[in-house]
Amino acid sequence: MKQHWHQDEESFFGIGVYQPKTAHNIGTLWRTAYILGASFIFIIDGKYNHQGSDTAKAWSKIPFFKYDDFDHFYNSMPHSTQLVDIETGETSLPLNKFTHPPRASYLLGAENNGLPEKIIQRCHHLTRLPGKTSMNVAVSGSIVIYDRVAKRESF
């Protein structure tokens, strides 16, 4: 029987975006992350100013990190955290079959570019949402966070 994890002091997650394109979408994602229990939020190689779409002011309630580049982020990840890429590629596991690691950093690419192959190769897991094309980054991230929370609560 497959063993599933449960929420405890050793599990957490954060979510972030590589080269974010639209600050409004980031604010929406941060609000969802905070409401559904993220431990931290981040951006890599981008700018973020407080957005009206972050009505919960998540940046003031959970840590918000800005990284200059992917290596800076990767080398700063908490110990034993697994990096999960949310990507549309064929090698990605469908989200409905994905088992979320207890300690995870979820990474989304910008809507127009996704993530470069050199970053994808360094991820521990690749998962994808259903659909023929990529979705809005805030929507994609929110769905993945919800999936994590729903699967955790079902066990």
Side-chain angles (χ1 to χ4, degrees), residues 10-39:
E10 294 183 12
S11 64
F12 61 80
F13 75 96
I15 190 162
V17 181
Y18 177 77
Q19 296 181 336
K21 180 178 144 185
T22 307
H24 181 79
N25 287 336
I26 301 303
T28 300
L29 178 59
W30 289 171
R31 183 178 69 216
T32 301
Y34 167 67
I35 291 168
L36 294 181
S39 301

Side-chain angles (χ1 to χ4, degrees), residues 77-84 99-106 124-125:
M77 280 197 315
H79 180 69
S80 76
T81 300
Q82 294 186 16
L83 183 56
V84 180
T99 301
H100 297 268
R103 299 166 59 99
S105 284
Y106 297 94
H124 300 98
H125 304 280

Side-chain angles (χ1 to χ4, degrees), residues 56-142:
K57 297 183 181 175
W59 57 269
S60 70
K61 295 176 174 70
I62 58 176
F64 167 60
F65 301 103
K66 288 176 68 174
Y67 299 99
D68 296 333
D69 55 42
F70 180 77
D71 286 333
H72 181 206
F73 159 75
Y74 195 83
N75 293 328
S76 301
M77 280 197 315
H79 180 69
S80 76
T81 300
Q82 294 186 16
L83 183 56
V84 180
D85 171 16
I86 304 158
E87 194 63 40
T88 57
E90 290 296 316
T91 59
S92 301
L93 187 65
L95 184 61
N96 66 338
K97 296 179 188 219
F98 182 67
T99 301
H100 297 268
R103 299 166 59 99
S105 284
Y106 297 94
L107 181 59
L108 298 119
E111 294 163 14
N112 55 345
N113 296 334
L115 292 172
E117 187 61 33
K118 66 182 182 177
I119 290 177
I120 293 171
Q121 291 175 1
R122 294 176 69 185
C123 293
H124 300 98
H125 304 280
L126 306 175
T127 188
R128 70 176 183 270
L129 300 172
K132 294 179 173 57
T133 62
S134 66
M135 291 184 199
N136 169 284
V137 71
V139 172
S140 296
S142 297

